[in-house]
Amino acid sequence: MTADPLEALELGQRVRIDVLVDDVKPSGERPSLVERLRSLQPELRLVRVLDPEDHFPEPDGGVLLRRPFSLDELENAIAQALKSEPSME
């Protein structure tokens, strides 16, 4: 577990990541952490954490989770992501 995107990329080169909980708003300025990790691990599953007012156009084959959320809601989102087919985008 890490909050540092560079550390997440380094981990992605060494170990399998089953689910990425992504709390980063999308940015068109640079390749996203998700895109870079999926280039290393196409089977990566995703839970995107959003603020209530955020509008995310597509869930990238992942699960959307809006703040505020409980630990049970986070656990359910991760379980749902693990049951889903990985996105191969």
Side-chain angles (χ1 to χ4, degrees):
M1 184 162 115
T2 182
D4 181 334
L6 293 177
E7 187 177 348
L9 286 172
E10 290 174 13
L11 282 171
Q13 293 173 354
R14 295 190 322 253
V15 298
R16 181 175 146 213
I17 299 173
D18 295 314
V19 177
L20 175 68
V21 178
D22 181 28
D23 192 17
V24 179
K25 295 188 185 230
S27 170
E29 298 173 10
R30 57 181 169 72
S32 75
L33 173 63
V34 173
E35 291 168 346
R36 293 172 73 183
L37 279 171
R38 281 191 171 154
S39 72
L40 298 169
Q41 298 188 29
E43 69 281 358
L44 178 74
R45 289 166 173 90
L46 178 65
V47 173
R48 283 227 193 248
V49 177
L50 302 171
D51 288 328
E53 67 277 358
D54 287 343
H55 298 284
F56 201 81
E58 294 294 324
D60 293 348
V63 176
L64 298 180
L65 180 63
R66 297 210 180 262
R67 280 186 202 88
F69 55 87
S70 68
L71 182 56
D72 284 341
E73 290 170 319
L74 175 60
E75 289 174 348
N76 288 336
I78 291 170
Q80 184 181 352
L82 285 170
K83 290 179 188 175
S84 69
E85 289 295 319
S87 175
M88 298 299 185
E89 296 176 11

